[in-house]
């Protein structure tokens, strides 16, 4: 009998890559989706006919219980959230409901329906926020700098709490920034690569950005979902930092992306203070030693390769 996995947030960047991976591993894959008219299936269109969809909402625990009862997954990957940092400042309460309390509802539903289900929680490097040490590892104290980061800290600790209180196989991946051609346009990496493609194709001339000196540890989403999968294959649950261990600035991102198409970023990038965060996170860079040693995980795609992959994908979409 094949394993069955339930993915919340299956229509997002990570959900689409994880669904592809699990199908390749022989899983039956169920995606929990909200009953809304705005659900976008573009990222999973290629595999949509191989997936099962179940209506459910992180704001409604009974709907989650119903999904678990009907589909009986052996693994649950909780990737759904209000996941945009900037939006969390304008929608802090909704961010808390979905990104924080939503985790509790899923864990409680698992405890109620089948405590043998293995659970993955998508934690975030934004939990480190105002960093207490560089690089950040599993033992680094959290100091979130946005409502999103605060909500993710809650989700992380409630996962630990249910693991310790109810002996659930519940693991958290503290994922640093991970990007791909499927990244939403509101995220700075995709905002840059999409603009580069448009500028190259003569569709626009300028790109407005905030803090060019903000640094991040950027990896490829396709690499990072394999770490999620590996966590739930372990005998014991645990928490893991997933990162490349390298840091790059938004300025470097612009340099690589523009130069890939023969342009100079300084000719097109403009600073707009509207894009500065109320509280900026300065230097996020992860130490994934534990994931390498325990999970045998390594990132395969480097920073330059990732940015060029994204530029090429956006170019192809405009020249098609």
């Amino acid at each position: 009998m094949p394993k069955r996995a339930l993915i919340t947030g299956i229509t997002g960047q990570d959900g689409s890559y994880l669904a592809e991976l699990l199908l390749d591993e022989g899983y039956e894959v169920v995606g929990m989706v909200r009953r809304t008219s705005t659900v976008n299936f573009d990222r999973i269109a290629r595999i949509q006919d191989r997936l099962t969809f179940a209506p459910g909402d992180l704001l409604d625990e009974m709907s989650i219980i119903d999904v678990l009862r009907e589909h009986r997954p052996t693994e649950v990957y909780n990737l759904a959230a209000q996941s945009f940092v900037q939006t969390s400042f304008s929608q802090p309460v909704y961010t808390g409901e979905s990104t924080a309390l939503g985790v509790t509802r899923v864990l409680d539903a698992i405890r109620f329906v089948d405590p043998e289900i293995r659970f993955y929680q998508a934690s975030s490097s934004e939990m480190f926020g105002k960093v207490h040490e560089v690089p950040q590892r599993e033992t680094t104290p959290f100091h979130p700098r946005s409502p999103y980061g605060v909500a993710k800290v809650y989700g992380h600790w409630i996962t630990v709490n249910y693991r310790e209180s109810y002996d659930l196989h519940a693991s958290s991946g503290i994922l640093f920034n991970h990007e791909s051609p499927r990244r939403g346009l509101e995220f700075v990496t995709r905002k840059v690569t999409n603009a580069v493609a448009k500028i190259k194709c003569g569709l626009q001339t300028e790109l407005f950005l905030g803090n060019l000196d903000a640094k991040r540890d950027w990896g490829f989403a396709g690499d990072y979902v394999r770490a999620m999968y590996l966590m739930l294959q372990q005998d014991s649950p645990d928490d893991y930092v997933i990162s490349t261990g390298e840091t790059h600035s938004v300025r470097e991102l612009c340099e690589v992306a523009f130069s890939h198409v023969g342009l100079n970023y300084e000719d097109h990038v403009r600073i707009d203070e509207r894009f500065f965060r109320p509280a900026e996170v300065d230097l996020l860079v992860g130490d994934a030693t534990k994931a390498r040693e325990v999970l045998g995980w390594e990132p395969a795609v480097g920073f330059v390769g990732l940015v060029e992959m994204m530029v090429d994908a956006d170019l192809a979409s405009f020249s098609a």
Side-chain angles (χ1 to χ4, degrees):
M1 181 176 167
K3 286 185 175 181
R4 183 176 296 137
L6 172 69
I7 303 174
T8 73
I10 194 169
T11 60
Q13 170 190 255
D14 293 6
S16 66
Y17 281 108
L18 179 62
E20 290 172 356
L21 170 67
L22 293 174
L23 288 171
D24 289 343
E25 294 288 346
Y27 281 67
E28 294 176 358
V29 178
V30 180
M32 192 176 87
V33 293
R34 285 180 294 169
R35 283 196 188 278
T36 68
S37 58
T38 56
V39 174
N40 185 341
F41 290 93
D42 288 353
R43 293 184 181 96
I44 52 174
R46 192 173 64 83
I47 56 170
Q48 194 168 336
D49 60 344
R50 300 170 62 195
L51 304 172
T52 301
F53 296 101
D57 195 319
L58 290 185
L59 305 188
D60 180 4
E61 186 171 337
M62 273 310 301
S63 71
I64 304 169
I65 289 172
D66 289 344
V67 170
L68 295 180
R69 280 178 169 162
E70 179 177 352
H71 295 281
R72 295 288 169 178
T74 51
E75 298 172 4
V76 172
Y77 296 85
N78 183 40
L79 310 186
Q82 189 302 100
S83 59
F84 188 38
V85 174
Q86 194 75 33
T87 300
S88 77
F89 284 100
S90 58
Q91 299 182 15
V93 175
Y94 174 70
T95 299
E97 280 286 351
S98 59
T99 307
L101 292 177
V103 186
T104 314
R105 296 184 186 104
V106 178
L107 285 164
D108 218 39
I110 288 172
R111 182 174 71 90
F112 184 72
V113 175
D114 181 4
E116 295 302 308
I117 292 172
R118 296 188 172 198
F119 174 77
Y120 171 83
Q121 166 60 13
S123 288
S124 167
S125 61
E126 290 286 335
M127 301 189 306
F128 295 121
K130 188 176 176 65
V131 299
H132 289 235
E133 63 178 349
V134 179
Q136 294 89 51
R137 49 185 66 85
E138 292 80 8
T139 54
T140 302
F142 299 137
H143 190 150
R145 298 273 278 171
S146 66
Y148 170 76
V150 172
K152 280 293 187 182
V153 169
Y154 177 98
H156 180 86
W157 280 118
I158 202 69
T159 300
V160 173
N161 186 262
Y162 269 67
R163 178 168 75 214
E164 295 177 352
S165 300
Y166 304 113
D167 199 28
L168 296 186
H169 194 296
S171 296
S172 285
I174 306 173
L175 271 57
F176 280 66
N177 293 65
H178 45 290
E179 319 297 314
S180 75
R182 302 177 193 175
R183 192 57 143 153
L185 287 167
E186 67 271 26
F187 292 88
V188 68
T189 46
R190 184 75 196 294
K191 182 178 177 180
V192 169
T193 63
N194 187 260
V196 166
K198 283 184 172 179
I199 290 168
K200 183 64 176 177
C201 293
L203 301 174
Q204 72 182 60
T205 58
E206 295 179 317
L207 167 62
F208 293 93
L209 295 172
N211 182 10
L212 295 188
D213 296 318
K215 294 181 177 180
R216 292 292 184 274
D217 183 330
W218 279 301
F220 173 49
D223 289 338
Y224 284 39
V225 298
R226 176 158 290 278
M228 302 176 186
Y229 164 74
L230 290 171
M231 286 178 216
L232 296 202
Q233 312 316 308
Q234 304 305 306
D235 292 336
S236 301
D238 209 340
D239 306 321
Y240 297 89
V241 164
I242 305 299
S243 65
T244 68
E246 296 180 5
T247 182
H248 299 275
S249 67
V250 176
R251 192 182 307 278
E252 288 177 81
L253 166 66
C254 292
E255 287 173 349
V256 172
F258 278 91
S259 65
H260 185 54
V261 296
L263 298 173
N264 182 347
Y265 84 95
E266 293 176 322
D267 295 335
H268 303 280
V269 173
R270 307 288 179 261
I271 304 300
D272 188 333
E273 292 188 359
R274 288 179 303 165
F275 297 116
F276 281 77
R277 293 182 185 176
E280 181 58 88
V281 171
D282 299 314
L283 182 55
L284 289 175
V285 55
D287 178 358
T289 299
K290 181 177 173 182
R292 288 198 299 270
E293 292 178 350
V294 178
L295 305 177
W297 177 84
E298 289 279 356
V301 179
F303 175 71
V304 173
L306 170 64
V307 176
E308 292 181 348
M309 173 205 304
M310 293 174 67
V311 172
D312 288 341
D314 280 323
L315 272 174
S317 71
F318 290 118
S319 56

